Amino acid sequence: ETGVTQTPRHLVMGMTNKKSLKCEQHLGHNAMYWYKQSAKKPLELMFVYNFKEQTENNSVPSRFSPECPNSSHLFLHLHTLQPEDSALYLCASSQADYGYTFGSGTRLTVV
Amino acid sequence: LAKTTQPISMDSYEGQEVNITCSHNNIATNDYITWYQQFPSQGPRFIIQGYKTKVTNEVASLFIPADRKSSTLSLPRVSLSDTAVYYCLVGEYNFNKFYFGSGTKLNVKP
């Protein structure tokens, strides 16, 4: 365990479904992130939260909706996704001038 | 944002030292250089971070020349379990925005 916990580990959903990914960290970090990793592609930064405030939305489609209720929890709400949204979704956290701590990710398959 | 360039892949044998070089010609004054390791279907794991000269920890060494336009990750005596993708990132943590490149896929052979 890295200290960043993501649930569920695997998720299969239909294009009309609504689901949520959860990320939790108890490392005392003040920044949290969502990254998307598609097959054979670099990690793509999606959202950044600093002290619960969203500071970055990297042109992500509105069918992805993040929520950060406190500095320890981060959600990614999903609705009406497309098959091309199938990917590994990674959550990370960080504190000041130090590296990211990543979770193990959620493997999402949209059918 | 400082862009990084790394070799796409490298092969090595167990017990060898591996050096992976990353180019970052437009690195900014406040940027740090950070390296991550990623195994399939897992999140990247922090390896080492530096600003200039040389940094060493229990896992690797990071060499940064005076002009900071490149950096080299050195893995001593690699084993099969070091087979992974290695990413070089450059940025300033205060802005909390780091972008990953394509990374270097290291294949360690017996």
Side-chain angles (χ1 to χ4, degrees):
Chain A
E1 285 297 327
T2 63
V4 177
T5 303
Q6 290 189 244
T7 54
R9 290 296 308 273
H10 300 273
L11 177 63
V12 179
M13 60 184 289
M15 290 189 284
T16 59
N17 290 160
K18 289 184 180 181
K19 296 287 185 183
S20 296
L21 309 184
K22 179 182 178 182
C23 177
E24 185 173 356
Q25 61 95 3
H26 295 290
L27 301 170
H29 291 172
N30 57 18
M32 297 186 77
Y33 314 79
W34 281 115
Y35 279 87
K36 173 186 177 183
Q37 188 170 35
S38 304
K40 299 183 179 181
K41 281 188 170 183
L43 281 84
E44 301 171 50
L45 178 63
M46 299 175 73
F47 301 104
V48 180
Y49 277 83
N50 233 326
F51 292 103
K52 303 188 299 177
E53 299 297 321
Q54 187 180 128
T55 56
E56 180 79 6
N57 176 338
N58 202 24
S59 302
V60 180
S62 60
R63 58 185 183 271
F64 295 90
S65 175
E67 178 190 1
C68 189
N70 55 61
S71 57
S72 298
H73 294 85
L74 184 65
F75 295 90
L76 187 63
H77 303 300
L78 317 170
H79 64 97
T80 58
L81 295 190
Q82 305 298 311
E84 59 266 28
D85 296 321
S86 298
L88 181 67
Y89 288 85
L90 290 159
C91 173
S93 67
S94 71
Q95 176 71 22
D97 294 333
Y98 207 65
Y100 291 161
T101 300
F102 280 86
S104 297
T106 295
R107 173 69 63 185
L108 174 67
T109 303
V110 181
V111 296
Chain B
L1 294 167
K3 182 180 177 181
T4 60
T5 303
Q6 304 174 233
I8 294 174
S9 64
M10 293 181 67
D11 288 332
S12 181
Y13 290 93
E14 282 192 290
Q16 288 187 332
E17 177 185 75
V18 172
N19 296 310
I20 306 174
T21 298
C22 178
S23 297
H24 28 81
N25 291 319
N26 59 340
I27 188 170
T29 302
N30 294 332
D31 286 346
Y32 283 81
I33 300 158
T34 314
W35 285 80
Y36 289 83
Q37 174 193 56
Q38 186 180 25
F39 298 112
S41 297
Q42 293 187 28
R45 182 177 72 100
F46 174 91
I47 300 175
I48 198 166
Q49 176 180 299
Y51 183 79
K52 61 181 179 181
T53 61
K54 177 184 175 182
V55 180
T56 297
N57 61 23
E58 64 277 6
V59 177
S61 294
L62 178 59
F63 299 90
I64 305 169
D67 65 6
R68 303 201 326 124
K69 293 184 183 301
S70 67
S71 58
T72 299
L73 174 73
S74 181
L75 304 172
R77 298 179 297 282
V78 294
S79 64
L80 296 176
S81 62
D82 293 316
T83 294
V85 178
Y86 292 82
Y87 295 96
C88 161
L89 275 71
V90 172
E92 184 178 355
Y93 279 101
N94 285 338
F95 290 110
N96 298 127
K97 286 191 293 185
F98 277 83
Y99 294 89
F100 284 75
S102 299
T104 298
K105 182 170 172 46
L106 173 65
N107 184 29
V108 179
K109 303 175 184 178

